[in-house]
Amino acid sequence: MKLHTITLQSIKRRKAKSLFLALGIILSVGSVVTLINVGNNVNKSIAEHLDEFGANIIVTPRTDEVNFNYAGINISSTSYQKNELTTDDALKIKKIKNGKNISVLAPKLLNIAKTDKGKVIVSGVNFSEEKRLKKWWKLTGNYPISKNEIILGNLAAEKLNLSIGGNIEISTSKYKITGILTETGSQDDEMIFMDLTEAGILFDKQNKVSFIEVAALCYDCPIEEIVAQTSAMLPGAKVTPIKQAIESKMSAIHSFELFALGISFVILLISILIVFVNVNASVNERTKEIGILKAIGFRDSHILKVIVYEVAFISIVSGFVGYLISMPATSIITPFLTMEGNSSNAFDFIYLPLAVGISVVVGIIAGIYPAIRATRMDPTVAFRAI
Amino acid sequence: MIKINELTKEYYSGSERVLAVNNISLEIEDNEFLTIIGQSGSGKSTLLTILGGLSKPTSGSIIVDDLDIYSLSSKQLARFRHEYIGFVFQSFQLVNYLTVEENILLPLSITKIKDKAQKSLAEKCLASVGLAGKSKRLMTELSGGEQQRVAIARALINDPLIILADEPTGNLDTETSAAIMKIFFDLKSFGKSIVMVTHNKDYAKYGDSSIELSDGKIINQTGYTASRLHENKAV
């Protein structure tokens, strides 16, 4: 017979009360772990989808002066560029440690071109990457399928008085217009877009690129790491994170985290109150028992242990059960809150220590005061006849 | 030997001052069976709780084997109760969710005695109170007399020198009460000092000596010499 025997027998033979106490903890721990788990899934989903909305890293050659630029990128032929980027540099970015986190890699070659109808900025792009990077583009007509086909921004079309199906002569080459972008509100409206390789040939800058737009966001690693890895991979390039884009993405993610944290806090607070009321009532109910234990020589520390062991044991078991409940609950709820509409059914054991830890903390916080109160009870109550 | 010196216990019921024990002095020899009789509210149980180290007196002292028990820290006092005292209560005060054996072994649950030795002690104690073979029963499966026997066995398990019993037959019928009184009488042969509170004067005959309390004072005593009932101003 040891102190824990009293604990175990009390739990075993006072089933209804133990079950009620456990239920309070199970529901709260299950809810909190589900919320955290769902929150992580939703965050991942948000992060993955936010990646699709534009670049968040710009890779440019190191330059000394800025004369003519697009979105801060120097494209003037008068500026002196110490280093130039190549299409191979773009491929190298895929090879960084976090290469798998890069969803879009869009190299561009910009040049001011003389056309038969005036000067205009021409952007050589990889159309397949560009379409993925700029999901907001709406095109009237079709994307080019051959190298002598181009598309125009709506202002460029207006300025040059061109329409779909028309032709334009750039330098000495002729190009067919297959589509016109609807207004984007950006500098894209004033530009001509053609195939990157063709632009290289046209401007005698084969394999050269003016800058590279990168869309990358890794939910579980900071963007700064990707920037650092890219800088190391391309020492002659300037790698700049677009702070605003990153901050808005992270803000969207953190706002859900804060929401989940707030709800979890409220649930845990309610749980602590439920456990407190339950343990306190149990201590009141056991006043005579505590009096007997004191009369037969139990010290305050022994009384404290009897109560705390009981709460701790129920908390540990409840934490485990809460974890078991939270996993299928996560699988059921996640599809409703994520854009993918599906989720894994696999049990993630990372949440087991979290569930048990939360449960024990709730139990101890709620149970410690009633336990201390039990040690201060008057032992002479044992002498009072029922 | 237990020496009670000018013991007083007062408390307040609202604004009214109550003298539960009023300047009592007496001595209880080793292996003595003392009965305390008196009407309800005469201070019998209060005196017993003070003797058992559960309720600090307002003034006076209790000396057990040259140890002034109320000069001890609360931790030492708990140890004193554990080693010196075995309590038996009127309402048995057993823990309902524990079996007979577990109830008996409660005092040993805070010791380092091995389970096997504990069980052996429990068997001996159960046999001594006539409950052999009922160790796995729950309290709800026992009669009142059997429950009181379990309570006596629990009081004996750690071999205390003093047994303090508060109206142990108060909730029992006459026949069962007589059987319980016989157990107490037999305990003397194990070298225990017994102090038993009762309001039944017939049971006082089981003791070597007896005192009668009224309003916290000793108003009558039998089996006491003048030297043992030393200077008691209240008498």
Side-chain angles (χ1 to χ4, degrees):
Chain A
M1 176 88 172
K2 297 288 173 215
L3 278 181
H4 62 76
T5 315
I6 302 172
T7 298
L8 293 175
Q9 296 296 50
S10 169
I11 293 168
K12 188 175 153 190
R13 301 216 173 97
R14 297 162 75 239
K15 285 189 186 81
K17 285 181 174 33
S18 304
L19 199 67
F20 185 73
L21 177 62
L23 214 55
I25 302 176
I26 289 168
L27 288 176
S28 67
V29 170
S31 304
V32 169
V33 174
T34 301
L35 205 57
I36 293 170
N37 204 350
V38 168
N40 283 341
N41 289 345
V42 170
N43 282 350
K44 279 179 191 166
S45 172
I46 290 172
E48 281 163 12
H49 283 83
L50 284 175
D51 287 352
E52 295 171 359
F53 298 108
N56 49 28
I57 297 172
I58 301 283
V59 182
T60 59
R62 292 188 186 279
T63 59
D64 281 351
E65 71 179 285
V66 178
N67 288 337
F68 196 168
N69 67 70
Y70 162 73
I73 310 306
N74 186 355
I75 55 171
S76 167
S77 56
T78 60
S79 76
Y80 173 69
Q81 296 184 347
K82 284 181 179 174
N83 302 291
E84 286 186 307
L85 294 173
T86 64
T87 48
D88 288 342
D89 289 334
L91 296 174
K92 280 182 187 171
I93 296 173
K94 280 276 187 188
K95 293 176 183 169
I96 63 170
K97 188 182 167 191
N98 283 99
K100 65 180 187 307
N101 298 111
I102 290 166
S103 59
V104 182
L105 201 61
K108 288 177 180 63
L109 177 62
L110 296 181
N111 211 84
I112 299 170
K114 279 183 183 174
T115 71
D116 52 350
K117 294 179 180 179
K119 276 187 177 181
V120 70
I121 302 173
V122 174
S123 176
V125 298
N126 181 335
F127 280 108
S128 63
E129 290 291 292
E130 208 66 17
K131 276 194 284 184
R132 287 180 57 217
L133 183 72
K134 295 176 177 173
K135 300 251 179 188
W136 58 89
W137 269 12
K138 283 180 183 167
L139 186 75
T140 306
N142 299 307
Y143 280 98
I145 47 173
S146 68
K147 292 189 176 179
N148 62 345
E149 291 178 342
I150 60 169
I151 59 171
L152 305 177
N154 72 319
L155 291 178
E158 208 173 284
K159 184 180 165 189
L160 303 173
N161 197 22
L162 290 168
S163 57
I164 298 168
N167 292 305
I168 183 171
E169 194 175 301
I170 304 173
S171 297
T172 53
S173 304
K174 263 195 173 180
Y175 296 94
K176 187 183 175 188
I177 299 152
T178 60
I180 295 174
L181 291 173
T182 55
E183 189 176 357
T184 62
S186 70
Q187 217 159 340
D188 292 350
D189 294 342
E190 300 169 24
M191 298 171 79
I192 291 174
F193 297 91
M194 66 165 59
D195 177 72
L196 179 64
T197 313
E198 177 62 19
I201 296 165
L202 182 65
F203 301 121
D204 197 20
K205 291 182 177 178
Q206 282 98 326
N207 297 324
K208 298 284 189 295
V209 296
S210 305
F211 67 100
I212 305 161
E213 285 187 294
V214 182
L217 186 72
C218 142
Y219 170 68
D220 48 5
C221 71
I223 199 80
E224 286 77 9
E225 276 185 27
I226 294 176
V227 170
Q229 290 166 14
T230 309
S231 296
M233 185 64 81
L234 304 173
K238 183 183 173 192
V239 184
T240 314
I242 304 175
K243 207 175 173 187
Q244 200 178 2
I246 294 165
E247 280 181 354
S248 64
K249 287 175 184 184
M250 295 317 288
S251 166
I253 290 168
H254 289 310
S255 62
F256 190 87
E257 279 176 351
L258 280 174
F259 170 76
L261 203 69
I263 297 288
S264 300
F265 180 76
V266 172
I267 291 171
L268 290 178
L269 202 65
I270 293 168
S271 172
I272 286 171
L273 288 174
I274 291 171
V275 176
F276 171 80
V277 169
N278 198 297
V279 178
N280 213 33
S282 172
V283 166
N284 286 339
E285 201 177 84
R286 295 166 78 178
T287 301
K288 274 189 182 292
E289 180 190 327
I290 292 162
I292 297 163
L293 297 179
K294 284 194 161 191
I296 62 177
F298 276 48
R299 294 199 298 269
D300 289 350
S301 59
H302 296 131
I303 304 286
L304 194 77
K305 280 179 190 170
V306 168
I307 306 292
V308 169
Y309 282 177
E310 191 166 324
V311 175
F313 183 84
I314 290 174
S315 298
I316 290 168
V317 174
S318 301
F320 188 74
V321 176
Y323 163 79
L324 292 178
I325 289 173
S326 74
M327 291 299 119
T330 303
S331 296
I332 293 166
I333 295 168
T334 300
F336 293 105
L337 299 176
T338 56
M339 297 179 212
E340 293 88 351
N342 56 35
S343 72
S344 165
N345 285 318
F347 275 53
D348 192 343
F349 288 101
I350 290 171
Y351 293 102
L352 179 58
L354 179 76
V356 174
I358 290 173
S359 185
V360 170
V361 168
V362 165
I364 297 299
I365 288 176
I368 196 71
Y369 172 73
I372 290 171
R373 204 169 62 80
T375 67
R376 293 176 182 161
M377 281 184 166
D378 179 8
T380 60
V381 290
F383 281 79
R384 291 173 203 150
I386 296 164
Chain B
M1 177 187 275
I2 304 168
K3 284 185 183 173
I4 301 169
N5 298 313
E6 298 177 350
L7 204 67
T8 295
K9 176 73 177 181
E10 64 179 37
Y11 62 86
Y12 284 86
S13 175
S15 58
E16 190 190 349
R17 179 172 171 260
V18 178
L19 261 176
V21 175
N22 190 355
N23 201 26
I24 288 177
S25 296
L26 67 107
E27 288 178 0
I28 303 162
E29 297 285 351
D30 292 343
N31 202 27
E32 180 176 340
F33 190 163
L34 168 71
T35 57
I36 304 173
I37 57 172
Q39 298 297 313
S40 292
S42 61
K44 309 183 298 289
S45 294
T46 305
L47 179 59
L48 207 66
T49 59
I50 298 171
L51 269 173
L54 290 172
S55 176
K56 194 172 183 177
T58 309
S59 63
S61 63
I62 308 263
I63 311 292
V64 179
D65 288 351
D66 298 324
L67 193 70
D68 181 352
I69 65 169
Y70 285 105
S71 68
L72 300 173
S73 67
S74 65
K75 200 172 166 180
Q76 290 169 323
L77 200 56
R79 191 169 174 181
F80 163 79
R81 285 197 295 270
H82 188 255
E83 290 178 3
Y84 278 77
I85 309 288
F87 280 107
V88 179
F89 305 96
Q90 179 181 354
S91 302
F92 323 132
Q93 307 295 29
L94 299 163
V95 181
N96 285 332
Y97 58 80
L98 298 178
T99 62
V100 166
E101 184 183 74
E102 287 161 350
N103 263 288
I104 292 171
L105 290 175
L106 265 180
L108 301 188
S109 66
I110 53 172
T111 66
K112 290 179 179 171
I113 298 172
K114 302 274 182 203
D115 280 359
K116 202 174 172 184
Q118 285 190 14
K119 281 182 186 296
S120 168
L121 281 169
E123 276 172 24
K124 280 181 192 169
C125 284
L126 273 176
S128 71
V129 294
L131 284 180
K134 295 191 174 178
S135 62
K136 299 300 172 196
R137 299 270 182 95
L138 286 171
M139 294 311 110
T140 48
E141 297 165 351
L142 299 179
S143 68
E146 286 175 320
Q147 288 188 51
Q148 194 58 294
R149 286 164 194 258
V150 174
I152 294 168
R154 182 182 66 193
L156 296 173
I157 192 79
N158 53 343
D159 195 24
L161 291 171
I162 305 158
I163 301 291
L164 301 179
D166 185 30
E167 308 212 28
T169 59
N171 287 357
L172 303 175
D173 60 53
T174 313
E175 195 181 336
T176 312
S177 295
I180 294 295
M181 287 310 298
K182 187 177 179 311
I183 292 173
F184 275 103
F185 185 75
D186 291 344
L187 284 179
K188 258 178 65 71
S189 60
F190 291 104
K192 311 291 181 194
S193 298
I194 301 158
V195 180
M196 188 177 79
V197 163
T198 178
H199 58 261
N200 189 334
K201 288 186 177 179
D202 290 342
Y203 295 142
K205 68 185 179 194
Y206 285 94
D208 303 311
S209 51
S210 178
I211 57 171
E212 185 175 358
L213 296 185
S214 178
D215 294 332
K217 299 174 193 169
I218 297 175
I219 57 166
N220 196 8
Q221 71 281 331
T222 56
Y224 269 88
T225 62
S227 65
R228 286 182 58 210
L229 193 68
H230 63 270
E231 195 179 352
N232 189 334
K233 290 172 187 169
V235 175

